[in-house]
Amino acid sequence: MANIVGVIFLCGLAVISAGRVADEDVLLDFQRVRQLRGLALNFVGQVKDFDVKELSTLDSRVPSQEDMLCLSDLTTLMTGLQSGQYWALKMLDSWGSIPSGLLTGNRFDLGNFDECLKINHGVSLGRTIQGKYCFLSVSPTQAVGVQGSIIGSFKTATCLPASCSATQMNTFVSMVAKQLLNVSIPSSVMSISESSCQTSESVPWDGLTIFMIVILSVMGSLVALFTLWDYCLGKNQDQLPTIVKVFSARVNSRALFRIVEVNSSPNVIDCLHGIRCLSLMWVVFCHQYVMAALASNINLFHAISWEETPYASFILHGFFSVDSFFVLGGLLVALIPLRMMDRTKGKLNVPLMYLHRLIRIVPLLAIAILMYLKLMPIVADGPRFGSGYSGKVDCENGWYWTLLFVNNYNEEKCLGHTWYLSVDMQLFIISPIMLIALYKWGKKAAAGIFVLIVLLSGCLFATIMVNKYSLVLKHSSMDAQKDMYFATHTHATPWLTGFLFGYILHLNRGKKFQLSKVVAWSGWILCLAMIFTSIFALYPYAKWTGPELSTFAEASYYTLTRVGWCMALCWVIFACMNGYGGLANSFLSSPLWQPLSRLSYSVYMWHMFFQEINTRSMRTNSYFSNYTIMLNFWSTFGFAVLFAYVMHLVIEAPFGGLDYFLRPKQRSPPLVKQKSQIDDNGHNNLEELKVTTPAPAEN
């Protein structure tokens, strides 16, 4: 999850002062805003009295050709308004006003985006006046130096000729305000930024965009070609050429949607599919709240009361879903290679192990960076899409940190949610050391890993105590997020817990544990108690007026729950494997989870692509509520799954199939393809599975 607590924390800091303001402060804010409201309401009525000649004094410098062109278009606009021309009235009609609901957190009036951009008025042969949509940032409290005001700043839409730059627009707006309101408004109070402006003219494709289009076109053409080959010439699926199996959408779709019978092999852990999918949905759901908090809400201040509800704990403590993935990752990294090492007498091909991981992760990650940067502005637009992808600057400056899997330690997080891949890769890189140690020294090495878990837990506890960190919303800070959420060593504990549990399963492979009903029920009661404690223990302290939580208590909570959650998850897996899962095992082991489980890595990569498009392309304000966000979640998740399927066929499966050429020739292609799809846990926790385990449905 991409810094969910930090984002919501910043929103919380922005709105918390709203509940603690004096009535006289609110009155002063409204008086200042009322003056600005007159700028929008009285403009039409007084435009006939506006002195067009004064526009020639755009600023003190010598006017350039661009200034003269802007001046000419503004003069034409004013003339059109005076004579009531339709195109000029549309340009003014698309303006926003003062947002309604400032006291409930509305900070945007989006105007009419499409009406502005569709303006195209011919003024002479070969030249037209087009609309340019920009946001006018207004900070009325800056005029009198008020800090922490309930009104704060807001943005309203403007529409002026496209020939004018933001600087020229600022001069024009200031002159209009001075003439209509008889006051001089500094740029710190009211200004337009060029980065917020948009026109109907599309930006020419640069070399990187063309490269992306070529790559997608070539891959799509190859998939289409070999799929036709498969359908027309492939009479026997077992005798298809390797290159056809790698690119054929038919072959890859069969592998993706193949349903493996539950309990088909004692080596299969069927419940992992359900755990993986539920964790993925939890992550996407939490990210939906992050994007909702950043949307143009008319009731952002509602987040104060929302945060105090028990339901909010599922979102604020959504980082446990990430810990679930780390547990699965550690379990698989231990379980499968150890089985292979038993067959090869301790030999582990580490370079090949790394190569398989890179083949599976890097192609989709690289194309995702390109598509977030270059495709998003092509396929979507909207009032708040002026600067393109929100992480554009970070990707342009630090895309290589993401491909090097170290962006969790870097400020420039290109594709912020990929910090998880970096942590997982770093832990994967050191896994051969522990695997070899476990094979050679067995339980002694396991004891060493247990000590390491204790030491890392102590490190987390000490970090919180020394720095007095807090992740409770009302006291959290960005430094706490950086040190306690993104750092690899803070997530090594759940990964190592899963790794150690995988070793235990390896030692007891083929065994069925016989537990009494008392022990089984006790295990489930403790498991559920740990899960609910992890999510709801801080609920009384999350309230803005609730009791304060000591640093020691919070340090103890985060240290113990980070281990306790993982142990609870390990119990669920253990119980399901040994016949004590009951309804939980029936639900988690359902074959219906298998296709989504194999597709989960691609869904994880693309879900924020659609969440950002949906949030920033909206033409009207939204309403912050659980019901609205839930509806948006299901629509976004559906689009993400469909798009992930397409990208799986075009990018992920073909590149993932390249590792077939690295395997021994006696491996059958259908088996290999099934392994490459089924064994990936959605976040590429273990790639060497595909060359080490014969059971096609094993996780």
Side-chain angles (χ1 to χ4, degrees), residues 8 205 291 333 341 373 473 582 615:
I8 297 181
W205 290 358
M291 300 307 296
V333 169
M341 293 174 73
L373 267 177
L473 189 59
T615 298

Side-chain angles (χ1 to χ4, degrees), residues 77-367:
L77 171 62
M78 302 305 296
T79 303
L81 289 173
Q82 292 173 357
S83 59
Q85 295 182 25
Y86 183 61
W87 72 271
L89 293 176
K90 286 181 64 178
M91 184 168 287
L92 188 64
D93 182 56
S94 63
W95 279 49
S97 182
I98 306 303
S100 300
L102 285 171
L103 298 183
T104 60
N106 188 7
R107 292 293 178 262
F108 289 91
D109 191 315
L110 303 178
N112 195 315
F113 175 78
D114 297 290
E115 182 182 28
C116 176
L117 295 193
K118 288 180 180 179
I119 294 173
N120 192 347
H121 174 67
V123 293
S124 63
L125 184 62
R127 201 175 79 82
T128 60
I129 294 180
Q130 297 180 345
K132 185 174 185 178
Y133 181 94
C134 300
F135 275 118
L136 175 66
S137 299
V138 182
S139 302
T141 56
Q142 292 291 329
V144 292
V146 177
Q147 300 294 330
S149 168
I150 186 174
I151 298 297
S153 62
F154 57 86
K155 295 183 178 181
T156 186
T158 62
C159 185
L160 288 171
S163 59
C164 296
S165 66
T167 302
Q168 295 161 344
M169 289 182 180
N170 287 328
T171 304
F172 172 72
V173 172
S174 297
M175 292 177 58
V176 172
K178 183 177 181 180
Q179 181 162 337
L180 298 182
L181 305 178
N182 197 28
V183 293
S184 297
I185 301 179
S187 59
S188 60
V189 176
M190 193 164 60
S191 63
I192 295 175
S193 172
E194 190 67 42
S195 61
S196 70
C197 297
Q198 301 180 67
T199 65
S200 58
E201 294 184 0
S202 58
V203 179
W205 290 358
D206 58 10
L208 203 56
T209 303
I210 296 174
F211 175 75
M212 175 195 69
I213 298 297
V214 170
I215 290 294
L216 293 177
S217 300
V218 170
M219 294 300 297
S221 299
L222 289 174
V223 170
L225 174 64
F226 287 109
T227 301
L228 289 175
W229 183 325
D230 184 11
Y231 269 101
C232 299
L233 304 177
K235 297 181 180 180
N236 189 337
Q237 291 294 303
D238 294 333
Q239 297 180 358
L240 287 175
T242 301
I243 191 67
V244 176
K245 294 177 180 178
V246 169
F247 285 98
S248 172
R250 184 186 187 187
V251 173
N252 290 321
S253 294
R254 282 179 174 176
L256 181 66
F257 292 105
R258 177 175 180 266
I259 299 299
V260 179
E261 185 180 353
V262 178
N263 298 325
S264 59
S265 169
N267 294 324
V268 175
I269 308 177
D270 296 298
C271 64
L272 293 189
H273 289 297
I275 295 174
R276 183 180 308 136
C277 292
L278 292 177
S279 298
L280 173 68
M281 296 172 70
W282 193 1
V283 169
V284 177
F285 192 50
C286 290
H287 286 170
Q288 191 68 50
Y289 271 86
V290 173
M291 300 307 296
L294 300 177
S296 306
N297 295 298
I298 63 174
N299 63 329
L300 182 59
F301 290 169
H302 177 68
I304 296 176
S305 57
W306 170 84
E307 191 270 338
E308 295 182 334
T309 62
Y311 176 82
S313 296
F314 286 104
I315 310 303
L316 298 177
H317 299 284
F319 52 81
F320 286 118
S321 62
V322 181
D323 287 346
S324 299
F325 276 115
F326 282 118
V327 171
L328 297 183
L331 185 154
L332 295 173
V333 169
L335 187 61
I336 308 304
L338 285 174
R339 292 175 181 172
M340 182 272 291
M341 293 174 73
D342 280 347
R343 294 194 300 270
T344 60
K345 298 181 180 180
K347 294 181 180 180
L348 183 64
N349 194 332
V350 177
L352 188 61
M353 179 176 166
Y354 290 159
L355 181 59
H356 283 303
R357 167 61 69 92
L358 294 176
I359 288 175
R360 290 287 290 151
I361 294 182
V362 173
L364 191 64
L365 178 59
I367 200 68

Side-chain angles (χ1 to χ4, degrees), residues 284-285 287-293 295-299 302 306 311 611 614-615 618 620-637:
V284 177
F285 192 50
H287 286 170
Q288 191 68 50
Y289 271 86
V290 173
M291 300 307 296
S296 306
N297 295 298
I298 63 174
N299 63 329
H302 177 68
W306 170 84
Y311 176 82
Q611 286 178 341
N614 290 345
T615 298
M618 288 191 299
T620 58
N621 292 76
S622 57
Y623 185 80
F624 184 91
S625 70
N626 293 325
Y627 179 74
T628 302
I629 295 173
M630 195 171 298
L631 291 179
N632 292 335
F633 161 73
W634 285 113
S635 62
T636 301
F637 191 76

Side-chain angles (χ1 to χ4, degrees), residues 504-546:
I504 295 173
L505 294 180
H506 172 70
L507 290 180
N508 296 278
R509 59 190 182 279
K511 296 181 181 179
K512 282 287 185 179
F513 289 86
Q514 299 297 324
L515 304 180
S516 65
K517 289 186 177 180
V518 174
V519 174
W521 275 100
S522 298
W524 276 109
I525 291 173
L526 292 175
C527 169
L528 294 175
M530 189 67 251
I531 290 175
F532 281 95
T533 298
S534 300
I535 295 175
F536 295 106
L538 295 187
Y539 166 65
Y541 306 96
K543 297 182 178 180
W544 299 104
T545 57

